[in-house]
Amino acid sequence: MSTLRDLVEEHTDLEQPDIDHLHRLAGDWQLLSDLSFADLLMWVPVENGEFRCVAQVRPTTAPTAYLDDQVGHVLGGPDVAHLAVALDEARIWREGDPVWYGDTPARREAIPVRTPDSARVIALLGRDTNLSTARTPSQLELNYLTTADDLTQMVADGTFPPPHRPGETTSAPRVGDGLIRLDADGKVVYASPNAQSAYRRMGFPSHLTGEDLAALTGRLADDPLEGGEAVERIFAALRGESPARKEIDGRGATLLLRALPLLPGGHPIGAVVLCRDITEVRRRDRALVTKDATIREIHHRVKNNLQTVAALLRLQARRVDSPQAKSALEESVRRVASIALVHETLSMASDETVEFDTIVDRVASMAAELSVAESRVTIRREGTFGVLSAEIATPLVMVLNELLQNAVEHAYGPAEQGEVVISAHRWRRQLHVTVSDSGQGLPADFDLDASKRLGLQIVRTLATGELRGTIELRNRVDSGMEAVVVVPLSRR
């Protein structure tokens, strides 16, 4: 399915600011659709007097007028007469009898869309209401429809939607969360039941109707500074501005407010305030922050414990006389240290993932230090591992540690200098890792499955077991050998 931008760029000559305005409208028009109890369709004029639908939104407060998606459809002739009138006369069209979409009766309206700095109509909004469940509207529905009419006039004037604020979250209160309508003096003329409940949770027991909402909100806020910011944003909406959203804490409850000016015809007549009780959302957020901090502290302590174990093994290695025992202890120190690197990185991360390239570079530096001074083996990385989950990073760092140690110790002779290359790339949800050198290569009768060396047994067990992947050690065509590890990134 083509996006709004794709369809507009392909079928119109609208410039970038016009397209951006249509995008902002599509980002805010769920509010208008819910207040109208109607489907909204965005139409752009194309050739031969036809119109193409480039976007659609259905109401969450009423049944849709369309069972099928209308995006991409092209209509002409009598079907778009209302759109043509709205385009030619640059006005909202509400005349006409109901029409039928299949078995559904519907009322059609057409609203011209302008930008704030231009009188030109750049698109049309079709507002189509399903009449199959028509009945006498309640007070809530009447206030919804009145507010919707004011906002549609603002669409035609070019003052709705408000400009986008950089960095502002896309989450916002919805119509069903709570709606409060203010007059020009900031007094509440209507509050929906959910809005009333939200303010009651903040400690206001009476009805909101007739209250000065800005002053009331300022009194209910726990933090006077926070309350003052909420007051100023409500006043800004009454002045015709479009302030940013604001969270208010009061008596253990958290309320998200969004104030929108009502400027039909360019005249400020009040504001509409959407409010959403996000107390439970913020409680869960705080619980997650606490949990994340606990997990990071656990990783930090595990890292410290592993470093303590490595230090004890290092001390033990200095006290033994057997060269084989000393070598085995030093290898254990390096294995423990490689795992500690992962936990150190996780202790500084906000989730259970790590930027693995940094870990690989540090493991490579540790392995390069093992090579005797005469051999001068260097280790280089090509490609990027990217971000990996902890369950992949921990066994993979051990596999790479063993492969690098093996290459540094056995690929080149004491007087030789050489290079070990670590390469990585992702393909088809798999991570392909290769550790290669140009040294002596593998013996002719080498068999990884039959190898008795502890390091290679660790590599094989981790690669095929915990990583659920594959590993292959083979000689290169020219010289040297390479180890190829393939790790599935999907853990299903």
Side-chain angles (χ1 to χ4, degrees):
M1 177 65 69
S2 299
T3 64
L4 166 61
R5 184 175 299 275
D6 293 336
L7 290 170
V8 173
E9 289 180 346
E10 181 180 355
H11 299 287
T12 73
D13 58 354
L14 293 180
E15 298 179 354
Q16 194 60 48
D18 297 331
I19 300 175
D20 292 340
H21 183 77
L22 295 181
H23 261 288
R24 289 196 301 273
L25 178 56
D28 258 333
W29 68 349
Q30 184 68 61
L31 164 67
L32 184 54
S33 175
D34 290 343
L35 289 171
S36 301
F37 306 100
D39 292 76
L40 296 182
L41 289 81
M42 186 181 294
W43 298 92
V44 292
V46 291
E47 53 198 20
N48 301 323
E50 295 179 327
F51 290 81
R52 181 181 292 270
C53 181
V54 295
Q56 177 183 2
V57 63
R58 292 180 170 89
T60 61
T61 52
T64 179
Y66 299 95
L67 296 179
D68 299 324
D69 196 77
Q70 301 299 303
V71 176
H73 286 198
V74 178
L75 295 180
D79 291 332
V80 294
H82 62 303
L83 299 176
V85 172
L87 176 63
D88 294 339
E89 301 181 8
R91 67 174 180 86
I92 297 177
W93 184 93
R94 290 194 174 99
E95 306 88 76
D97 297 325
V99 297
W100 289 83
Y101 298 131
D103 296 330
T104 303
R107 180 178 62 250
R108 296 192 305 188
E109 299 174 61
I111 303 153
V113 179
R114 291 189 183 90
T115 57
D117 52 358
S118 174
R120 184 168 64 100
V121 177
I122 61 173
L124 286 307
L125 279 192
R127 184 164 67 161
D128 298 349
T129 306
N130 186 331
L131 298 178
S132 60
T133 58
R135 55 185 173 82
T136 302
S138 64
Q139 184 183 10
L140 179 145
E141 291 167 334
L142 287 173
N143 277 277
Y144 276 18
L145 292 171
T146 300
T147 305
D149 287 342
D150 292 335
L151 292 177
T152 55
Q153 184 60 57
M154 292 171 62
V155 171
D157 297 338
T159 55
F160 185 87
H164 175 69
R165 295 179 176 272
E168 186 175 28
T169 176
T170 56
S171 64
R174 296 158 296 190
V175 170
D177 294 324
L179 179 141
I180 303 171
R181 186 179 172 103
L182 307 180
D183 62 17
D185 296 323
K187 296 295 194 334
V188 177
V189 295
Y190 175 76
S192 71
N194 284 342
Q196 187 72 54
S197 297
Y199 269 81
R200 187 169 288 122
R201 189 164 185 179
M202 288 186 66
F204 183 69
S206 303
H207 292 291
L208 286 171
T209 304
E211 292 288 335
D212 184 330
L213 187 69
L216 174 63
T217 304
R219 292 198 307 269
L220 294 177
D222 289 338
D223 184 347
L225 181 60
E226 191 177 73
E229 292 179 1
V231 169
E232 175 54 34
R233 296 188 188 190
I234 294 175
F235 282 152
L238 293 171
R239 292 193 301 266
E241 302 171 16
S242 298
R245 298 151 198 171
K246 180 63 181 172
E247 289 185 13
I248 304 295
D249 292 315
R251 297 201 177 184
T254 303
L255 209 61
L256 176 62
L257 299 179
R258 184 189 186 190
L260 292 170
L262 295 177
L263 297 163
H267 306 293
I269 62 170
V272 60
V273 178
L274 300 173
C275 57
R276 180 182 181 188
D277 185 350
I278 57 171
T279 306
E280 293 304 313
V281 175
R282 289 295 169 261
R283 184 189 62 78
R284 288 195 294 268
D285 287 346
R286 288 190 287 270
L288 287 174
V289 169
T290 303
K291 179 181 177 182
D292 289 342
T294 303
I295 292 174
R296 287 197 296 272
E297 177 62 23
I298 290 172
H299 284 303
H300 180 71
R301 295 188 182 188
V302 170
K303 183 263 297 184
N304 289 342
N305 291 338
L306 289 173
Q307 289 178 338
T308 300
V309 172
L312 292 174
L313 291 173
R314 193 177 294 110
L315 288 173
Q316 187 67 41
R318 293 172 183 171
R319 293 175 177 271
V320 298
D321 297 326
S322 169
Q324 290 182 335
K326 183 184 292 291
S327 176
L329 288 171
E330 289 175 347
E331 287 184 2
S332 297
V333 169
R334 293 190 288 272
R335 289 167 184 146
V336 172
S338 66
I339 300 175
L341 282 178
V342 176
H343 286 281
E344 180 181 4
T345 305
L346 287 169
S347 69
M348 297 181 289
S350 59
D351 53 17
E352 287 293 286
T353 60
V354 295
E355 182 62 54
F356 201 68
D357 291 340
T358 304
I359 295 176
V360 172
D361 293 342
R362 293 180 64 180
V363 171
S365 297
M366 292 167 51
E369 294 173 358
L370 299 177
S371 62
V372 294
E374 294 82 359
S375 66
R376 298 191 299 278
V377 176
T378 60
I379 300 177
R380 175 169 57 87
R381 175 172 59 85
E382 294 180 347
T384 178
F385 289 80
V387 177
L388 297 178
S389 63
E391 61 179 340
I392 295 178
T394 302
L396 183 58
V397 74
M398 291 192 65
V399 169
L400 288 175
N401 179 63
E402 297 297 334
L403 293 176
L404 290 173
Q405 286 188 42
N406 183 71
V408 166
E409 294 177 0
H410 303 292
Y412 301 99
E416 292 182 290
Q417 62 179 356
E419 182 181 57
V420 177
V421 179
I422 310 167
S423 61
H425 71 277
R426 299 188 179 209
W427 186 67
R428 291 186 177 178
R429 300 188 62 79
Q430 291 180 329
L431 176 64
H432 294 250
V433 182
T434 303
V435 178
S436 60
D437 61 69
S438 55
Q440 302 174 15
L442 297 169
D445 59 347
F446 176 79
D447 183 0
L448 177 61
D449 293 333
S451 176
K452 301 298 183 182
R453 293 178 54 189
L454 176 60
L456 293 180
Q457 290 179 353
I458 291 174
V459 167
R460 185 180 69 251
T461 300
L462 292 176
T464 60
E466 288 194 43
L467 292 173
R468 304 175 194 174
T470 61
I471 181 169
E472 180 184 3
L473 272 62
R474 63 197 180 201
N475 283 320
R476 301 174 65 190
V477 176
D478 44 5
S479 63
M481 60 83 64
E482 61 183 8
V484 180
V485 181
V486 180
V487 180
L489 296 176
S490 174
R491 308 302 284 172
R492 282 188 269 176

